[in-house]
Amino acid sequence: MPKRDYTNGLPDPAELKEELLKKYPRKVAKKRAKSMVTNNPAESKEILANVRTVPGIITQRGCTYAGCKGVVLGPTRDIINLVHGPIGCSFYAWLTRRNQTRAMEGDPNFITYAFSTDMQDENIVFGGEKKLKEAIREAFENFHPTSIGIFSTCPVGLIGDDVHSVARDMKAELGINIFGFSCEGYRGVSQSAGHHIANNGIFKHVVGNEDRERTGKYQVNLLGEYNIGGDAFEIEALFEEIGVTLISTYSGNSTVESFAYSHTADLNMVMCHRSINYIAEMMEEKYGIPWFKVNFIGAESTAKSLRKMAEYFGDSEMIAKVEEVIAREMLKVKAVAEAVKPKVEGKLAMMFVGGSRAHHYQDLFRELGVKTVSAGYEFAHRDDYEGREVIPSIKIDADTRNIEDLVVTKDDTRYREDLAEKKAKLEESGYEFKDYKGMMPDMQKNALVIDDVNHWETEKLIEFYKPDIFCAGIKEKYVVQKYGVPLKQLHSYDYGGPYAAFGGAINFYKEMERMLATDVWKLVDAPWKHEPEIVGCVTVDA
Ligand code: CFM
């Protein structure tokens, strides 16, 4: 395959877009066209996102249950996350996300277990509430947890089991915190709905339950960092050295216990905006805790985020410490980057991941001189692409209206007026809060941005761009690799990581050296190049 030369900028992908859309029935093509944007950072362009995938299309997306149980609550170790549903929903969510945790000696850690009611046909016919209650009792007797979360899978909503009333009954019976989530897989258009449902549930049932005494001079929460491959451990080590007390992380290496007193923090830093901005907003509303967006993926972004944190606290000792840490770590980072960069510079990357990593990882690639030619999210909303300022103009459709928007009011006794004042003062000097700018303004002109990319489009993108690396997940991995293009999983990290902060950047550079500075991929010979292919065609023009 002759390589394209992109040294003078990316080509206009108009012809590729046309090719992608040609295959679809007219109505589908019209819809998909709105989710494919030729980027121009100089002008704001609108993308269609967070809408239903057309049935029949092979999407990368997951379900609402995955977003609630797997993503937000899954990494929390001291709660029993009990899945009410068929066993498959539990099995496929069992340890596959690689969210690590580090329990203290003797502390509960239920992450390695898969708790399920194992619903059978008869429960579908006669109802499963009785079985759910029995499962809660059994879990309580065996493990003595302080809290239990109940997660609804699709059949639960279809047959009408009321997990919330079961939770209330069992809470009264057992005297521990028990709460349910209506996070049936079909409830929203993707896992994004599950994030929102989880945020609401944690805020309603856990946050603010315990007014713990202060344990540090500067207390922060890190929101939207899930400790995949040990990422959170890297960031925690930095905070500790700098002298910042991490109260709670939502939810990598976390406990529900820490969520309960997380309202005692002086600042919320939001890493994955998509999955957790709701809690950040609600905590500010109720407790007056300001938040801003950070990114610890990429050495430069890490430095920037640490500086922003130090500036917030305005402590000269902390500011000096941050500079010392950055200077020391950057020496190590630069040494590896300088060794790897000449071998990979100018290579082309594409990334289609989740709701924040397709953006964050472009920073890491940029540090190696690798160009992102096309990218997109699976389930992000327009603000994740275009920036938070578009939120008021986002159309609220029936699917979004389906998810409860909690009404949160100021907690008069616990509201931090001091923090609200601090925020106002900092804002006067140009310091930005609630400031997510989105992925598109950070991308090159003519880069093709696609929301909810599907299998057909992926193949065409590979043929057109001939990328040197494709970043996505396990469902895409082997198909892409049969094209002779290495695929890096940016969800699970392919058994690697951590990739966050300075140490993580070094790991990532080395991994890219292994994946990009090799000729082995040229030897891949896909079976479909030789074996006969049966082609059929069904067209329904709706
Ligand atoms: Fe946030 Fe995530 Fe992501 Fe996400 Fe996810 Fe994930 Fe992801 Mo997989 S919370 S949006 S729902 S950063 S599980 S840790 S990697 S799709 S880009």
Side-chain angles (χ1 to χ4, degrees):
M1 289 197 293
K3 298 279 321 171
R4 285 168 182 267
D5 182 7
Y6 294 145
T7 30
N8 297 319
L10 300 176
D12 183 341
E15 160 208 338
L16 166 65
K17 254 161 86 177
E18 207 174 297
E19 163 106 16
L20 292 176
L21 297 169
K22 214 166 59 190
K23 184 101 168 175
Y24 298 124
R26 192 172 35 84
K27 232 173 139 180
V28 177
K30 209 173 142 203
K31 187 177 177 191
R32 283 304 294 151
K34 292 183 190 157
S35 293
M36 297 176 188
V37 172
T38 304
N39 196 52
N40 184 354
E43 47 177 279
S44 37
K45 290 194 174 187
E46 187 175 327
I47 189 164
L48 181 71
N50 190 32
V51 291
R52 290 184 189 198
T53 304
V54 175
I57 277 179
I58 306 178
T59 171
Q60 295 182 323
R61 280 175 169 173
C63 68
T64 300
Y65 152 80
C68 184
K69 191 269 174 191
V71 174
V72 181
L73 267 300
T76 309
R77 63 173 175 263
D78 62 342
I79 177 173
I80 284 191
N81 288 326
L82 175 60
V83 177
H84 189 31
I87 195 64
C89 302
S90 294
F91 185 79
Y92 289 105
W94 188 21
L95 297 180
T96 48
R97 188 157 165 257
R98 299 191 70 242
N99 41 258
Q100 300 184 5
T101 203
R102 203 179 268 156
M104 298 290 210
E105 186 78 37
D107 279 353
N109 176 11
F110 304 122
I111 283 183
T112 48
Y113 295 92
F115 296 98
S116 169
T117 53
D118 184 22
M119 259 185 156
Q120 301 294 320
D121 299 4
E122 63 173 84
N123 308 124
I124 305 287
V125 176
F126 300 107
E129 290 182 12
K130 207 172 132 222
K131 193 169 194 189
L132 175 59
K133 284 188 176 173
E134 279 161 16
I136 292 170
R137 282 189 199 104
E138 192 184 329
F140 179 72
E141 277 159 27
N142 283 316
F143 296 98
H144 307 290
T146 51
S147 42
I148 297 178
I150 307 161
F151 299 86
S152 307
T153 57
C154 292
V156 172
L158 295 174
I159 64 173
D161 271 3
D162 186 347
V163 298
H164 305 286
S165 83
V166 169
R168 276 192 299 274
D169 291 354
M170 295 312 292
K171 188 175 175 173
E173 182 182 316
L174 302 174
I176 60 167
N177 198 3
I178 301 179
F179 40 93
F181 295 91
S182 290
C183 56
E184 291 87 352
Y186 61 78
R187 188 151 299 258
V189 301
S190 69
Q191 51 268 65
S192 169
H195 301 149
H196 198 166
I197 293 165
N199 278 234
N200 287 349
I202 296 173
F203 198 77
K204 234 198 287 189
H205 298 286
V206 184
V207 176
N209 283 359
E210 199 198 320
D211 288 315
R212 202 179 69 152
E213 289 293 313
R214 289 188 74 88
T215 49
K217 194 168 171 198
Y218 303 112
Q219 307 199 137
V220 302
N221 294 321
L222 181 60
L223 272 57
E225 161 47 59
Y226 299 93
N227 204 17
I228 313 300
D231 276 355
F233 297 147
E234 290 288 319
I235 304 168
E236 285 170 15
L238 283 177
F239 286 174
E240 199 180 327
E241 190 180 355
I242 289 161
V244 169
T245 306
L246 181 62
I247 295 291
S248 185
T249 299
Y250 286 73
S251 55
N253 192 26
S254 74
T255 56
V256 162
E257 188 191 349
S258 71
F259 297 163
Y261 54 73
S262 62
H263 64 293
T264 61
D266 309 315
L267 170 67
N268 280 332
M269 285 182 281
V270 175
M271 172 101 171
C272 168
H273 171 267
R274 181 64 272 134
S275 60
I276 210 91
N277 71 83
Y278 319 94
I279 283 185
E281 288 281 17
M282 291 189 283
M283 278 224 219
E284 175 155 19
E285 202 68 44
K286 188 165 179 183
Y287 303 107
I289 306 168
W291 71 266
F292 55 75
K293 170 89 176 63
V294 290
N295 178 21
F296 291 102
I297 299 296
E300 295 291 346
S301 306
T302 301
K304 205 170 136 200
S305 300
L306 292 177
R307 286 190 175 116
K308 184 152 187 177
M309 176 179 76
E311 201 187 330
Y312 173 81
F313 288 113
D315 178 318
S316 53
E317 213 175 290
M318 188 195 290
I319 292 170
K321 187 75 201 172
V322 162
E323 291 308 325
E324 181 197 319
V325 170
I326 292 173
R328 184 194 67 209
E329 293 301 313
M330 275 303 193
L331 269 183
K332 295 187 240 168
V333 167
K334 292 241 162 84
V336 181
E338 271 160 30
V340 175
K341 198 171 172 181
K343 300 182 194 167
V344 302
E345 197 166 14
K347 302 255 183 195
L348 309 177
M350 296 188 354
M351 55 207 79
F352 292 92
V353 212
S356 72
R357 293 190 173 178
H359 183 194
H360 288 164
Y361 274 81
Q362 292 188 32
D363 290 1
L364 257 181
F365 278 117
R366 212 171 287 128
E367 288 169 5
L368 290 176
V370 174
K371 267 194 189 136
T372 304
V373 289
S374 180
Y377 294 126
E378 278 169 57
F379 50 76
H381 301 195
R382 273 184 59 208
D383 44 315
D384 304 297
Y385 285 103
E386 301 170 46
R388 270 186 73 87
E389 68 277 8
V390 304
I391 290 179
S393 66
I394 294 179
K395 246 196 357 258
I396 309 288
D397 60 10
D399 288 307
T400 308
R401 223 170 276 126
N402 209 8
I403 314 298
E404 185 189 10
D405 237 332
L406 286 189
V407 182
V408 176
T409 50
K410 190 171 164 179
D411 181 326
D412 287 327
T413 52
R414 297 187 286 182
Y415 190 86
R416 295 281 302 273
E417 296 291 353
D418 61 323
L419 297 179
E421 268 168 40
K422 184 190 193 55
K423 179 186 169 191
K425 248 192 227 140
L426 279 164
E427 270 179 329
E428 270 170 34
S429 61
Y431 191 99
E432 285 182 340
F433 292 91
K434 300 185 175 207
D435 61 339
Y436 187 38
K437 296 208 165 38
M439 178 172 85
M440 280 159 50
D442 263 356
M443 289 182 70
Q444 265 191 295
K445 187 167 187 306
N446 282 340
L448 184 56
V449 180
I450 304 186
D451 182 64
D452 185 20
V453 82
N454 58 50
H455 198 113
W456 151 255
E457 292 161 3
T458 299
E459 290 185 17
K460 289 287 139 190
L461 283 166
I462 290 173
E463 283 166 18
F464 181 83
Y465 285 109
K466 302 175 178 55
D468 298 289
I469 189 160
F470 194 102
C471 302
I474 190 67
K475 300 195 287 294
E476 299 76 37
K477 187 172 176 85
Y478 299 101
V479 175
V480 170
Q481 291 193 162
K482 281 176 189 166
Y483 274 91
V485 176
L487 187 142
K488 178 67 193 170
Q489 289 190 64
L490 285 189
H491 301 261
S492 72
Y493 296 165
D494 287 304
Y495 329 108
Y499 296 139
F502 303 111
I506 291 173
N507 287 341
F508 194 77
Y509 300 160
K510 289 181 178 164
E511 176 77 342
M512 285 310 106
E513 181 182 18
R514 281 190 289 268
M515 294 182 83
L516 289 168
T518 168
D519 284 335
V520 73
W521 294 99
K522 291 188 187 129
L523 305 174
V524 172
D525 192 15
W528 59 71
K529 285 185 188 158
H530 314 288
E531 281 162 26
E533 188 189 3
I534 300 167
V535 181
C537 182
V538 179
T539 311
V540 183
D541 210 358

